[in-house]
Amino acid sequence: MANSLTTRWSDRALDALRAAPVVPRTPLADLSPTRELDDELYELTGRRGMPVLDGTTLGYPATIDATTDECQRGYCLWGRGHARIRLSEGHDGAWETSDLGSTISWRACVELLVLRQQYRSWIPVLVCRDALPTLPRRWGRDLAQALGLGAIDAVDNAFGDDEILCWDSHFLARYIDGAARILERCNSLGFCASMPAPDAYLTFVSDIEQQSAQGRLEHLHRGAGDDEVVVSIAGRDLIRQQRMFRGHLMEAVEATPTRLERFRRHPPALGSDRLREYLRRHAIVLPATPPPAAMAGAPEELLLLGRTLLLRSGEGNMWLGLWRIEDLPDALRRAAPTAVAVARGAPKISRSEWPFYRWGDLDMICIGGGPEFESYLCDATGAMWSCDVAYGHFEFVGGGVVSWLERLAFNADLDAMGHASALLTIPLQGWGELPEYLNVPLVSECSDARSRLYVSAAYAIWESSPTRGVPAVDVRAREARELIPVVKWARQRWGTMKVAVSGDDRNTQELVAAIEAEGIRVLDGETGGWKMASFWDD
């Protein structure tokens, strides 16, 4: 029976809301700036809960993780799933839906989600724009009319037929044939369309240069760096994305209506299960024979790594293995150091024929770099070093390639433990004594003959005996005051009267004062990098 609630909605929306899956209503509903909408949707589901439409949970703040400033009155995040919709109330009472690309009422927003759910298929949304801005046209409406789409009630600027849905400048096709119709008409009318590739981080663009054959559309997207991506649509059931690096296939992603599969060359199985999973998720090996490792005693792992790229979202990409310098990614090639000033009184690291370096009488080879100015060097004993020319930072990072890679794989777990204090460095007098005193267990896979990592919820301890320099132990804790018992123990057990502290001055002042009150001298550890014997004589 119709009432004041149901008469505001299309029959299509009412049917979808009544049948929608739901989630429990949030206890914060009374705070919602969209309270009227929340109440109405709750009623239309028969008070079962808040509806889920087109993979999007509606309500305030429903299942989303919204920070306080995003939930102020008149401004909130609303919904999560295929669309995270940001609503902002204007002076005229309309709600701007930034993620949907238009300004519509909130009821029209729900109607649109219902439409998207009905048209939803595995084909991504195409976003069209005018390639000929000299012509005053309404992008979506003109293209929709050229495609013969009819207007859809309850949503302004929405058009559709059995195969294609259009709203504003967004187009959704149920099948490949519909996508082909849109792209071909774009070309004929001077529009272009962009579409997310199967890999959500990439986008390919259709323009006048697209290659078209019967049953197939192929698109080339050139990235800002060395990558380029070829995306092809084949038949009615396959989208293939191929990522290329200077003509070499890095990986391929194939999407069908029922699966998404990624193909890439992986490095050989190395180390622990954690490291193998880390490399499986992040590493791509490029086909090509690396230059020979002519350095005596070079670890076999260097040859096994070949030419590896570590693709790490949010952290920046790295290269690993043995590369010719001309084959490195452009930005990383420019960052490869020619000479490195290590520390006052120590010889510089100088580069000879790439990838070989020399540090005094010690041979080294560059086996990694990135994401900015970092380079990773392996010395003749197999030990690993990190240098950053831009910041003048040089650091011993482990006694072997595999244990160093294990530490990269372990970093996420380590970060999650929240050891955020300043870095305390003490000359090492005995292996394992401090961790035993603090009851901190060894992380065996991240340890080797020259370095050991110990981690607990309270402390992270790194013992190292580098090829050159003074053996040291680095300690972090959850809070700076938890380092004071460490200093007292070191003085009592080892007779330590000098320590180094690294970190932000604002966060280390209290710690430094407490240590000096114990009669122990505090040296400025700066970046916490490698320290030679003369450092402790200052």
Side-chain angles (χ1 to χ4, degrees), residues 403-442:
S403 59
W404 170 60
L405 292 174
E406 292 278 8
R407 288 185 67 196
L408 291 181
F410 188 68
N411 276 342
D413 294 338
L414 190 60
D415 290 344
M417 294 181 185
H419 302 111
S421 74
L423 179 68
L424 173 69
T425 302
I426 305 171
L428 177 66
Q429 302 297 323
W431 290 92
E433 293 183 2
L434 176 60
E436 182 179 0
Y437 167 72
L438 295 173
N439 193 30
V440 181
L442 176 73

Side-chain angles (χ1 to χ4, degrees), residues 29 31-36 60 71-76 89 95:
L31 303 176
S32 173
T34 54
R35 174 69 181 274
E36 180 186 356
Y60 173 86
C71 296
Q72 299 173 17
R73 178 172 179 79
Y75 181 70
C76 72
E89 189 172 17
W95 289 83

Side-chain angles (χ1 to χ4, degrees), residues 229-266:
V229 180
V230 177
V231 180
S232 54
I233 305 176
R236 292 175 62 90
D237 63 354
L238 177 65
I239 297 178
R240 180 183 293 111
Q241 167 192 297
Q242 293 178 303
R243 182 185 294 192
M244 313 294 292
F245 177 85
R246 295 183 179 167
H248 295 291
L249 177 64
M250 295 170 61
E251 63 179 342
V253 180
E254 291 188 351
T256 71
T258 58
R259 68 175 177 84
L260 178 67
E261 191 166 359
R262 184 182 301 275
F263 304 91
R264 66 167 57 149
R265 292 165 51 101
H266 295 294

Side-chain angles (χ1 to χ4, degrees), residues 121-143:
S121 70
W122 68 282
I123 304 297
V125 174
L126 292 162
V127 182
C128 299
R129 62 182 179 84
D130 199 338
L132 301 174
T134 55
L135 299 178
R137 299 189 293 185
R138 294 166 295 180
W139 300 349
R141 181 184 294 269
D142 286 5
L143 183 55

Side-chain angles (χ1 to χ4, degrees), residues 243-471:
R243 182 185 294 192
M244 313 294 292
F245 177 85
R246 295 183 179 167
H248 295 291
L249 177 64
M250 295 170 61
E251 63 179 342
V253 180
E254 291 188 351
T256 71
T258 58
R259 68 175 177 84
L260 178 67
E261 191 166 359
R262 184 182 301 275
F263 304 91
R264 66 167 57 149
R265 292 165 51 101
H266 295 294
L270 293 172
S272 67
D273 290 342
R274 180 194 291 112
L275 176 56
R276 295 181 186 189
E277 174 61 17
Y278 178 80
L279 294 176
R280 187 193 69 79
R281 293 178 58 192
H282 298 286
I284 293 177
V285 176
L286 298 177
T289 303
M295 185 177 68
E300 182 182 357
E301 291 86 352
L302 294 182
L303 295 173
L304 293 177
L305 282 172
R307 293 200 305 156
T308 298
L309 285 172
L310 275 183
L311 309 180
R312 306 178 303 169
S313 176
E315 297 182 77
N317 297 341
M318 289 176 57
W319 67 272
L320 301 174
L322 297 174
W323 294 57
R324 297 184 306 169
I325 193 166
E326 59 266 27
D327 290 334
L328 287 176
D330 287 339
L332 302 182
R333 183 173 64 251
R334 292 191 293 269
T338 56
V340 181
V342 172
R344 180 167 51 86
K348 284 187 176 181
I349 297 175
S350 58
R351 190 171 89 195
S352 53
E353 184 180 357
W354 176 265
F356 301 107
Y357 286 77
R358 192 163 181 82
W359 184 22
D361 61 352
L362 189 62
D363 291 325
M364 309 184 87
I365 186 169
C366 189
I367 64 106
E372 293 182 355
F373 300 101
E374 291 177 318
S375 295
Y376 298 96
L377 304 175
C378 176
D379 69 29
T381 71
M384 294 295 305
W385 302 80
S386 168
C387 65
D388 190 322
V389 178
Y391 293 96
H393 184 209
F394 184 73
E395 183 178 12
F396 173 75
V397 295
V401 174
V402 174
S403 59
W404 170 60
L405 292 174
E406 292 278 8
R407 288 185 67 196
L408 291 181
F410 188 68
N411 276 342
D413 294 338
L414 190 60
D415 290 344
M417 294 181 185
H419 302 111
S421 74
L423 179 68
L424 173 69
T425 302
I426 305 171
L428 177 66
Q429 302 297 323
W431 290 92
E433 293 183 2
L434 176 60
E436 182 179 0
Y437 167 72
L438 295 173
N439 193 30
V440 181
L442 176 73
V443 184
S444 58
E445 63 271 25
C446 298
S447 304
D448 51 60
R450 289 193 172 275
S451 61
R452 297 178 184 177
L453 179 65
Y454 304 81
V455 176
S456 70
Y459 292 99
I461 301 173
W462 171 247
E463 295 178 333
S464 62
S465 179
T467 316
R468 287 179 171 169
V470 176

Side-chain angles (χ1 to χ4, degrees), residues 165-208:
L165 170 67
C166 162
W167 74 97
D168 197 53
S169 60
H170 298 69
F171 288 78
L172 184 64
R174 292 181 192 268
Y175 308 108
I176 286 289
D177 291 348
R181 277 176 57 198
I182 298 169
L183 295 173
E184 288 166 358
R185 188 51 59 96
C186 278
N187 280 347
S188 67
L189 295 178
F191 291 91
C192 64
S194 62
M195 166 179 161
D199 186 326
Y201 294 107
L202 299 171
T203 299
F204 74 87
V205 176
S206 164
D207 56 24
I208 304 301

